């Protein structure tokens, strides 16, 4: 088992209000401690906003602007420019948003910030749906997953946000998982040193939203990574792909079986999903090899 | 009204370029800007100033007015002096964030060029875009001409920073935004004296680690609105002070309410924006005919100076409200507001509400002159009437 090596700088407090066993809180702890105290946060309405807790308490030691759902990247741009105008350009500006606030309603503002190459670090906690409102589908929800608004399973694919972002040619995009915390810390630390727009997507298996057992979120995330459903990789300047793990196990069945949102699947459905994962994985490997 | 003599400190400027000069002199740190007709010359002039090195703000050009306002709020909360500008659809797109800005107590100054909202599309002077934002917690000023717009921008920063409230200044599309007049430019030193950089409450990144806008309980939310109410109550006096200090420096007053040939007026026009100029011409004609007419110009619309309006209207026999806006189901917004102000007062003037120039129609001074005679023998209608 891998030893977790990041240092706890006391940037994330106990007493937060995440669900017991939630790996978003775990990820926030790693991310906030990696970035350190010279950081200002912008949080979109999402599980992150809830986890940080109600005023006047806050689980984050850094100051946080609780902005509107569709404008996290625009708000972060405003913070960064104001700090720059006041001679505080070294401060890291961090966005924390969910997939609804990133793939859906916040995409326009994020695309614009990326086009302007604003010097912000945008972290998307991707739990593949509107889990904070009780579990409805977002454009990040994968095919066949059951949600409150897709009770028989979603009929269309998960939006490939990463390719959309890569097309903006921003300096850094990475995927990370709470099952690989050292990798998460390393990528966040790397992103912090890069000037321009950085986006990090974090896989967050949602306990109630996905129907995962309270003690199983890390294992579920690990299966997601190992089966290639959620590959770990980096893209620099939109074109240089680097696989963090360049092998995957054959089957996604183990990953699917951990989640009640997939329990209605037929063998044919599972085969379709497997084919989708295999195809995406091959394309990704080809892009990484081309880069090398 | 006679055109002012052309002095050395004057330039020929249209309303929007006068705004840009006011902004340049006020020196904001951050300016998120998104183009929209007929606001765009403000954006273009500021970018021209920045390119020449005369204006040093961080300029953002995001993808929408919504993001422009989101960035403005965040930058203001982080301690920056912030300006933005918009019009019509852009202002309406910002609506959610207008509430957010006042709730967050961010002293942003925004210039809005009043334009008809779609549908159907139109690009004409009409004030319903900003008047329909009256409940969002923004201070609202209405400017009559380019000089008024320049002076108002500079005064708005002072009012905003004294109260931690956002301020929106409005002028009419084309009638003001694109009309060229001689405009007196104050010296940079005078503006620096008028707008000193003062330590103010910085909500984000002040070193304390406190957050802004996190969820709160009912009682605490209620308290934020009581605080907002207290702040709103101080605006009128700050606006008067700003006008008086500005008058000492420049010789030009721009008070919350302004008056023209008003002292002994029996028939008064009450209006906002460029319509005031037309009313002045009509009043001169009426006075020549021996009719005691006058103008009450409402420059500060939010917060509405209720007591001052009551005092001003005491003694007038007829008040003709000219609304270049139409609120469906209500009529003219200023008419509605003045009925509220006068309700319960003793011997109020007869209040005649007219929807005048809605959609940018030209209202000739002769029409207003005739109107003053028509209303003398008329019992006012409960509703606003369309000016034929």
């Amino acid at each position: 088992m891998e030893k977790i090596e990041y240092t706890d700088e006391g940037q994330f407090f106990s007493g937060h209000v995440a669900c017991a066993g939630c790996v978003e809180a775990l990820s926030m702890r790693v991310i906030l401690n990696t970035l350190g105290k010279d950081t200002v946060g912008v949080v979109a309405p999402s599980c992150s906003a809830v986890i940080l807790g109600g005023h006047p308490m806050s689980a984050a030691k850094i100051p946080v602007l609780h902005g509107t759902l569709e404008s996290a990247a625009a708000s972060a741009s405003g913070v960064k420019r104001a700090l720059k105008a006041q001679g505080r350009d070294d401060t890291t500006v961090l966005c924390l948003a969910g997939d609804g606030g990133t793939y859906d309603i916040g995409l326009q503002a994020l695309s614009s910030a990326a086009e302007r190459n604003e010097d912000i670090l945008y972290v998307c906690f991707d739990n593949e749906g509107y889990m904070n409102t009780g579990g409805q589908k977002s454009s990040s929800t994968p095919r066949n997953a059951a949600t409150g608004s897709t009770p028989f399973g979603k009929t269309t694919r998960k939006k490939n946000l990463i390719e959309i972002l890569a097309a903006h040619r921003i300096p850094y995009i990475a995927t990370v998982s709470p099952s690989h915390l050292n990798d998460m810390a390393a990528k966040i630390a790397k992103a912090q040193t890069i000037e321009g727009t950085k986006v990090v997507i974090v896989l967050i298996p949602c306990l109630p939203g996905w129907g995962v057992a309270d003690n199983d979120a890390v294992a579920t995330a690990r299966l997601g990574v190992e089966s290639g459903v959620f590959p770990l990789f980096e893209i620099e300047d939109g074109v240089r792909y680097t696989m963090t793990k360049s092998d995957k196990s054959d089957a996604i069945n183990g990953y699917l079986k951990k989640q009640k949102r997939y329990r209605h699947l037929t063998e044919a459905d599972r085969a379709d999903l497997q084919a989708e994962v295999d195809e995406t994985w091959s394309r990704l490997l080809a892009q990484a090899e081309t880069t090398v | 009204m006679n055109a002012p003599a052309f002095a050395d400190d004057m330039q020929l400027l249209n309303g929007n370029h006068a705004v840009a000069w006011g902004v340049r002199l006020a020196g904001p740190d951050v300016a998120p800007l998104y183009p929209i007709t007929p606001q765009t010359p403000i954006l273009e002039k500021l970018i021209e100033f920045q390119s020449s090195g005369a204006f040093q703000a961080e300029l953002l050009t995001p993808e929408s007015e919504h993001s422009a306002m989101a960035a403005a709020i965040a930058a203001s909360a982080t301690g920056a002096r912030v300006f933005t500008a918009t019009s019509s659809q852009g202002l309406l797109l910002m609506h959610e964030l207008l509430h957010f800005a006042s709730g967050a107590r961010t002293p942003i100054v925004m210039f809005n060029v009043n334009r008809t909202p779609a549908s159907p599309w139109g690009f004409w002077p009409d004030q319903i875009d900003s008047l329909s934002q009256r409940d969002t917690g923004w201070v609202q000023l209405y400017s009559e001409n380019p000089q008024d717009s320049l002076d108002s921008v500079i005064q708005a920063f002072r009012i905003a920073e004294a109260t931690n409230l956002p301020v929106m200044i409005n002028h009419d599309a084309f009638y003001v935004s694109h009309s060229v007049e001689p405009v007196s430019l104050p010296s940079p030193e005078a503006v620096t004296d008028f707008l000193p950089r003062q330590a103010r409450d910085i909500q984000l990144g002040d070193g304390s680690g406190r957050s802004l806008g996190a969820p709160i309980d009912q009682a605490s939310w209620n308290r934020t609105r009581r605080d907002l109410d207290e702040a709103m109550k101080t605006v009128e006096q700050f606006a008067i002070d700003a006008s008086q200090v500005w008058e000492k420096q420049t010789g030009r007053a721009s008070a919350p309410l302004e008056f023209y040939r008003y002292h002994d007026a029996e028939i008064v026009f009450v209006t906002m924006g460029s319509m005031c100029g037309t009313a002045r011409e009509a009043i001169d004609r009426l006075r020549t005919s021996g009719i005691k007419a006058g103008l009450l110009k409402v420059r500060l619309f939010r917060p509405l100076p209720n007591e001052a309006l009551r005092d001003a209207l005491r003694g007038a026999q007829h008040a003709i409200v000219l609304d270049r806006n139409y609120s469906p189901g209500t009529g003219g917004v200023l008419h509605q507001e003045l009925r509220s102000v006068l309700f319960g007062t003793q011997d109020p003037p007869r209040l005649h509400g007219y929807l005048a120039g809605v959609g940018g129609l030209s209202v000739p001074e002769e029409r207003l002159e005739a109107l003053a005679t028509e209303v003398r023998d008329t019992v006012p209608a409960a509703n606003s009437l369309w000016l034929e």
Side-chain angles (χ1 to χ4, degrees):
Chain A
M1 186 168 282
E2 188 182 28
K3 183 168 177 288
I4 301 171
E5 284 163 358
Y6 84 98
T7 313
D8 194 319
E9 306 274 357
Q11 294 296 307
F12 185 71
F13 300 119
S14 60
H16 62 74
V17 273
C19 304
C22 174
V23 286
E24 185 161 324
L26 174 65
S27 303
M28 278 170 98
R29 177 147 62 92
V30 171
I31 291 165
L32 292 172
N33 280 299
T34 301
L35 292 174
K37 62 184 178 186
D38 191 12
T39 305
V40 176
V42 171
V43 176
S46 58
C47 288
S48 305
V50 174
I51 290 169
L52 290 178
H55 179 84
M57 314 294 275
S58 176
K61 195 165 187 181
I62 59 167
V64 170
L65 167 64
H66 291 254
T68 54
L69 183 50
E70 64 281 48
S71 56
S75 302
S77 307
V79 171
K80 184 68 195 183
R81 299 297 197 96
L83 291 170
K84 189 177 173 196
Q86 296 172 94
R88 294 174 56 195
D89 207 12
D90 292 341
T91 301
T92 299
V93 177
L94 168 71
C95 253
L96 301 175
D99 51 280
T102 304
Y103 287 68
D104 284 350
I105 195 168
L107 182 58
Q108 175 174 318
L110 176 57
S111 170
S112 179
E115 179 272 328
R116 301 190 307 276
N117 201 24
E118 296 283 351
D119 190 15
I120 59 174
L121 170 53
Y122 190 107
V123 173
C124 170
F125 293 116
D126 189 353
N127 56 22
E128 302 189 327
Y130 291 88
M131 298 314 175
N132 185 33
T133 50
Q136 297 80 35
K137 79 109 194 177
S138 75
S139 58
S140 172
T141 304
R143 187 196 301 276
N144 282 333
T147 70
S149 43
T150 56
F152 304 109
K154 186 172 172 247
T155 56
T156 54
R157 292 176 69 125
K158 177 182 170 104
K159 184 186 285 181
N160 193 330
L161 178 70
I162 293 168
E163 286 190 2
I164 294 170
L165 290 167
H168 289 72
R169 304 288 181 96
I170 54 175
Y172 190 70
I173 303 164
T175 56
V176 300
S177 164
S179 55
H180 295 71
L181 292 176
N182 288 335
D183 177 60
M184 181 187 291
K187 285 173 177 165
I188 290 289
K190 180 175 177 179
Q192 193 176 23
T193 65
I194 298 170
E195 193 173 330
T197 306
K198 290 82 61 177
V199 180
V200 176
I201 314 261
V202 192
L203 178 67
I204 303 291
C206 174
L207 305 172
W210 293 15
V212 170
D214 287 0
N215 61 353
D216 232 2
V218 172
T220 304
R222 185 175 301 282
L223 286 173
V225 170
E226 290 179 349
S227 64
V229 173
F230 190 83
L232 297 183
F233 62 105
E234 298 166 284
I235 308 173
E236 286 164 282
D237 300 320
V239 289
R240 290 196 308 282
Y241 284 62
T242 307
M243 300 300 293
T244 308
K245 265 175 61 64
S246 53
D247 58 331
K248 75 177 180 74
S249 61
D250 289 338
I252 62 168
N253 272 341
Y255 176 68
L256 300 180
K257 279 181 180 160
K258 292 244 179 224
Q259 308 170 43
K260 288 182 184 164
R261 63 176 175 160
Y262 288 123
R263 68 180 163 186
H264 61 286
L265 262 53
T266 62
E267 270 313 310
D269 292 336
R270 276 191 278 271
D272 280 351
L273 281 180
Q274 182 69 60
E276 193 177 304
V277 167
D278 290 345
E279 184 256 350
T280 308
W281 179 263
S282 305
R283 270 164 40 84
L284 199 55
L285 275 193
Q287 277 164 308
E289 279 163 14
T290 310
T291 303
V292 174
Chain B
M1 196 169 59
N2 293 327
F6 202 87
D8 286 348
D9 65 347
M10 282 183 167
Q11 284 196 22
L12 279 173
L13 296 175
N14 67 37
N16 280 351
H17 287 173
V19 169
W21 265 101
V23 175
R24 168 177 160 165
L25 289 162
D29 304 305
V30 178
L33 293 165
Y34 186 85
I36 180 169
T37 302
Q39 164 265 36
T40 312
I42 299 175
L43 176 156
E44 289 177 329
K45 199 70 181 171
L46 286 175
I47 288 174
E48 183 188 315
F49 287 154
Q50 196 206 34
S51 305
S52 73
F55 180 62
Q56 263 96 33
E58 285 285 323
L59 291 183
L60 275 88
T61 50
E63 86 299 341
S64 70
E65 291 91 348
H66 193 281
S67 282
M69 182 48 65
I73 292 167
S76 181
T78 313
R81 183 176 280 179
V82 180
F83 174 81
T84 189
T86 190
S87 176
S88 184
Q89 309 295 129
L91 182 69
L92 302 177
L93 182 61
M94 288 178 182
H95 176 75
E96 175 201 23
L97 289 164
L98 298 184
H99 283 281
F100 199 104
S102 61
R105 303 298 299 275
T106 46
I108 299 161
V109 171
M110 169 161 65
F111 210 97
N112 177 62
V113 183
N114 288 122
R115 179 195 123 182
T116 47
S119 165
W121 288 101
F123 310 91
W124 322 125
D126 189 298
Q127 295 167 347
I128 196 62
D129 57 352
S130 54
L131 290 173
S132 65
Q133 308 307 310
R134 61 182 154 165
D135 299 330
T136 57
W138 282 63
V139 175
Q140 286 199 16
L141 294 165
Y142 286 80
S143 158
E144 180 181 351
N145 55 48
Q147 183 73 66
D148 196 359
S149 297
L150 181 145
D151 292 344
S152 295
V153 166
I154 294 165
Q155 292 181 26
F157 278 102
R158 188 169 160 125
I159 297 166
E161 288 169 14
T163 58
N164 275 327
L165 288 171
V167 180
M168 177 194 310
I169 315 128
N170 303 277
H171 67 200
D172 289 328
F174 302 110
Y175 288 150
V176 182
S177 69
H178 287 62
S179 294
V180 175
E181 289 186 9
V183 175
S184 170
L185 297 177
S187 70
E189 296 74 27
V191 177
T192 307
D193 283 351
F194 184 78
L195 279 183
R197 292 282 180 162
Q198 284 166 331
R200 69 169 174 87
D201 190 35
I202 295 171
Q203 299 100 318
L204 196 68
D206 65 347
S208 71
R210 67 174 164 153
S211 290
L212 170 64
I216 56 177
D217 63 21
Q218 298 93 322
S220 304
W221 201 94
N222 181 285
R223 193 155 59 242
T224 65
R225 265 45 190 176
R226 288 168 187 246
D227 290 346
L228 204 52
D229 190 35
E230 289 304 312
M232 272 285 169
K233 285 174 185 160
T234 67
V235 168
E236 187 180 346
Q237 191 55 51
F238 279 116
I240 291 168
D241 293 346
S243 171
Q244 289 172 347
V245 176
W246 193 243
E247 186 176 13
K248 270 185 204 152
Q249 288 184 334
T250 66
R252 293 186 304 276
S254 22
L257 301 178
E258 290 179 16
F259 304 95
Y260 180 66
R261 305 189 81 165
Y262 198 83
H263 161 66
D264 60 344
E266 292 166 358
I267 299 176
V268 300
F269 291 97
V270 190
T271 191
M272 306 195 292
S274 64
M275 189 70 78
C276 295
T278 314
R280 288 176 201 271
E281 301 286 350
I283 288 160
D284 287 348
R285 288 163 170 261
L286 288 161
R287 287 275 175 177
T288 307
S289 319
I291 296 170
K292 291 180 177 172
L295 170 68
L296 168 51
K297 166 180 166 181
V298 178
R299 187 169 158 275
L300 176 65
F301 174 76
R302 273 292 178 276
L304 197 68
N306 293 320
E307 289 297 334
L309 280 167
R310 282 186 169 189
D311 288 346
L313 289 167
R314 192 172 291 134
Q317 291 171 14
H318 296 274
I320 302 170
V321 186
L322 302 172
D323 269 298
R324 195 188 282 282
N325 68 81
Y326 167 62
S327 167
T330 294
V333 171
L334 188 59
H335 184 208
Q336 181 195 32
E337 298 269 346
L338 288 177
R339 277 184 298 193
S340 297
V341 164
L342 292 174
F343 185 79
T345 58
Q346 272 202 324
D347 301 325
R350 288 186 160 192
L351 195 65
H352 308 266
Y354 286 93
L355 303 167
V358 170
L361 287 181
S362 173
V363 178
E365 62 226 37
E366 296 84 352
R367 183 67 194 92
L368 297 186
E369 186 185 2
L371 186 62
T373 313
E374 290 163 26
V375 299
R376 286 202 290 186
D377 303 315
T378 308
V379 176
N383 297 323
S384 312
L385 302 176
W386 291 89
L387 184 67
E388 303 299 343

